[in-house]
Amino acid sequence: MSSTLTRRTLGRLLGATAGAALLDARFPEKLSAGVAAANPADPIRLSANENPYGPCAASLEALSRSASSASRSPGAIENEVRNAIARHHGVKPDQIVLGCGSSDVLRMADSAFVPAGKTIVAAEPTFEAVLNYAKVTRAEAIKIPLTSDFRHNLPKMAAACDARTGIAYVCNPNNPTGTVVGVDELETFLKRVPPTCVVLV
């Protein structure tokens, strides 16, 4: 299936997006519960990785320094950032993928490894972004319930992986339970999944 995006169609899409944003601004009571709270007195949502202490002083200072260049495209320094991360972790720069947060990287992974006809194996419950993106690619999600102590059931997850599995997703620490998968159990899991399966941790 193919589609053509004309200037007129793009204008309609942008207009609809702007209208939706305006409606949200005028009717805050209609905002989704997933939208970050603007009032500091509101509850801190740990499941959304919100920090009850706020940004540290070094982060605030870095934000302040970057304010004057916020209007510039970051493309020019992507290689510099990638090289710095690679040096820090002792890997090659082409092994580093940059994204706008983990959700963006998960979206890229789904697009690359779980097309229609593939499966993605994940815990239930877990951070749902990778499963939501899999719906777009029309992949089949296989959800494995957590253990009684709210941990990934790695043996059952490994057993659910087969030749059709594109991704096995291990959210570590798991969101929303906060439980952690240790190095030894993760290494055992990696040995049990098919070599064609991409493991996201």
Side-chain angles (χ1 to χ4, degrees):
M1 183 174 71
S2 63
S3 61
T4 302
L5 182 64
T6 64
R7 285 182 292 179
R8 183 171 294 174
T9 304
L10 178 61
R12 288 185 188 136
L13 291 171
L14 292 175
T17 303
L22 179 61
L23 284 175
D24 278 354
R26 289 185 176 180
F27 303 103
E29 68 276 9
K30 299 294 185 182
L31 290 176
S32 163
V35 175
N39 185 352
D42 287 340
I44 299 295
R45 298 172 305 151
L46 298 180
S47 65
N49 297 324
E50 293 182 350
N51 184 343
Y53 305 106
C56 68
S59 295
L60 291 174
E61 182 183 350
L63 284 169
S64 178
R65 288 198 314 269
S66 65
S68 61
S69 60
S71 61
R72 305 299 297 273
S73 172
I77 63 169
E78 282 186 11
N79 286 338
E80 182 181 339
V81 172
R82 189 178 288 109
N83 290 335
I85 295 173
R87 284 194 303 271
H88 179 76
H89 291 285
V91 298
K92 297 178 181 177
D94 60 6
Q95 293 176 276
I96 303 297
V97 176
L98 302 180
C100 297
S102 61
S103 294
D104 191 33
V105 176
L106 293 175
R107 176 188 57 77
M108 289 187 272
D110 276 14
S111 297
F113 302 115
V114 284
K118 286 285 191 175
T119 66
I120 179 168
V121 176
E124 172 68 12
T126 195
F127 183 55
E128 66 281 356
V130 72
L131 298 173
N132 290 339
Y133 293 132
K135 293 177 184 177
V136 177
T137 65
R138 297 190 297 279
E140 177 188 353
I142 299 176
K143 302 177 183 179
I144 306 299
L146 298 175
T147 62
S148 59
D149 56 350
F150 309 109
R151 296 171 53 79
H152 282 71
N153 193 328
L154 293 180
K156 287 190 176 180
M157 287 180 64
C161 295
D162 57 25
R164 292 179 59 224
T165 306
I167 290 177
Y169 177 56
V170 179
C171 183
N172 196 30
N174 191 40
N175 183 342
T177 61
T179 49
V180 175
V181 173
V183 173
D184 292 342
E185 54 186 337
L186 183 59
E187 287 182 348
T188 299
F189 178 72
L190 291 171
K191 293 175 183 177
R192 290 180 177 176
V193 300
T196 55
C197 175
V198 174
V199 178
L200 290 180
V201 182

